[in-house]
Amino acid sequence: MADHRGGVRARTAELVAAAAIAALGALVVADAYRIGIAWDLDGPQSGTFPFWTGIIMITASLVTFTFAAFGRSRVLFASSQELASVARLFVPACMFVAGVLVIGLYLPAAALVAWFMAVIGGYRLTTAALSGLAASGVIFVVFEAWFLVALPKGPVEALLGY
């Protein structure tokens, strides 16, 4: 049975999620206001629907925040062990996204496949690394050569002439 002594309570998770969604709703409202929310000669401006969507997001978040803040729930959202399991997937995925932005898709994809195979799958490092490189090669051939879809490239691809 999982150890439930440490972790994150449901109340904390609900408060954080409600605050994040309210902030996202505020961004939606601000951008909708920027592009126009009034009634124009040919109907509502293009920001009207996003504006009201943002208002609904903020309102729902405030209701959720209020119930979570004043509720008496002591339910555990996730134990420390469960959070560690999620982090084993989430942290490398975030690093992959950051890597794609900096050095293109292919090396971060190879590293991500190798990471998951080695750390989570328990494969030998050489097997994982070769599989990651093979996966990147397949992605390159399928998308770049066959489908002619340009994917993000970095300095290695530039050295290779792509």
Side-chain angles (χ1 to χ4, degrees), residues 100-101 103-106 144 150-154 157:
V100 168
L101 295 174
I103 60 172
L105 176 79
Y106 300 106
E144 297 282 344
L151 296 175
K153 295 176 196 62
E157 294 84 5

Side-chain angles (χ1 to χ4, degrees), residues 103 107 153-162:
I103 60 172
L107 286 179
K153 295 176 196 62
V156 172
E157 294 84 5
L159 286 173
L160 297 174
Y162 289 98

Side-chain angles (χ1 to χ4, degrees), residues 16 26 46-47 57 65 68 71 73 80 106 123 127-128 140 151 154-155 159-161:
V16 169
S46 58
M57 290 172 67
F65 194 90
S73 174
S80 298
Y106 300 106
Y123 289 89
T127 303
F140 180 81
L151 296 175
L159 286 173
L160 297 174

Side-chain angles (χ1 to χ4, degrees), residues 99-140:
V100 168
L101 295 174
V102 175
I103 60 172
L105 176 79
Y106 300 106
L107 286 179
L112 185 69
V113 169
W115 167 265
F116 282 132
M117 285 185 68
V119 174
I120 297 183
Y123 289 89
R124 291 182 311 138
L125 193 55
T126 37
T127 303
L130 290 173
S131 296
L133 290 172
S136 280
V138 169
I139 292 169
F140 180 81

